[in-house]
Amino acid sequence: MRRHLDNVTYVHPDGREAVYDGNGCLVLDGMNEGTFNESNYEKPFQKFAWDILPWLSYGASEADPTTFEKRLFYYLADVSYGLEQFVFESDLNEIPVVTYKKLNPFEKQIVQLFDYLIFSDEDFETFSEKRIQEMKNDESLFDSFVTSVLNKSGFSMD
C-alpha cells in the first residue's frame, strides 16, 4: 500500500509471509509487512473470512497506520483488477462452480456481500458471455461496471 509497488511477497507453505522492498530489505513498516495466512486462494471463502476480513478490520499489525477505509479502498482496487483479469483473460469454461448449499452460514454471508457488490445492478447483465464480449469490445462498459462496484461499497469515482 501507499505506492510500495516494488515490494515482493514470499509465502511459506505453512502460511508465513515475508515482504521485501525493491532493495531486498525486509519490510517492517506495520502496513506492508508479512502476515500469517490461515487459508489460500484455492479456498476463496475461507481466504476472505480468515485472512482478508481480519486485515480489513485490524490491519496487518498493531503498528498499521492505515484506516479501515484505506484498506477497503486498496482491497477493492485488487478486486477490480481480478475482475478485469476475469473479463479480459479468463476462459469461462474453466471457472469452478461453487455449490451454495454446501457453504457454511458465514461463507454464505460472504457470497451475499459479493453478490450485492458485483451482481446487484438490475440493468446490468453482469457476466453473461454476451456481456463479457461487449466489455472486451468496449472497455468503457467494464469501467462503468467497476465504478458501480466501488460506488456500492461507499467509494465514489466522481
Side-chain angles (χ1 to χ4, degrees), residues 101-155:
K101 290 179 182 178
K102 293 182 180 179
L103 300 176
N104 68 43
F106 189 64
E107 292 170 335
K108 288 178 181 178
Q109 288 180 330
I110 294 167
V111 170
Q112 291 167 356
L113 168 68
F114 284 97
D115 181 54
Y116 167 74
L117 288 174
I118 298 172
F119 302 109
S120 68
D121 191 337
E122 294 175 9
D123 298 325
F124 194 72
E125 235 188 301
T126 310
F127 289 124
S128 68
E129 288 186 42
K130 176 185 172 200
R131 189 62 173 172
I132 289 174
Q133 192 57 51
E134 289 171 350
M135 286 192 261
K136 287 180 179 180
N137 294 335
D138 182 355
E139 288 189 31
S140 69
L141 295 173
F142 177 78
D143 294 340
S144 295
F145 165 68
V146 169
T147 299
S148 170
V149 170
L150 292 174
N151 288 341
K152 283 187 265 184
S153 67
F155 291 98

Side-chain angles (χ1 to χ4, degrees), residues 41-45 86 90-100 103 111 119:
Y41 287 104
E42 292 174 10
K43 299 177 180 177
F45 302 115
F86 171 77
S90 292
D91 179 354
L92 298 179
N93 296 317
E94 294 182 10
I95 297 171
V97 174
V98 175
T99 305
Y100 186 78
L103 300 176
V111 170
F119 302 109

Side-chain angles (χ1 to χ4, degrees), residues 1 4-12 16-29 31-37 60:
M1 290 189 352
H4 293 263
L5 302 176
D6 57 348
N7 286 355
V8 177
T9 303
Y10 296 93
V11 181
H12 189 274
R16 290 177 291 160
E17 285 183 348
V19 179
Y20 294 89
D21 66 18
N23 297 319
C25 298
L26 186 64
V27 175
L28 299 170
D29 64 2
M31 67 182 158
N32 291 305
E33 62 192 58
T35 59
F36 185 82
N37 293 301

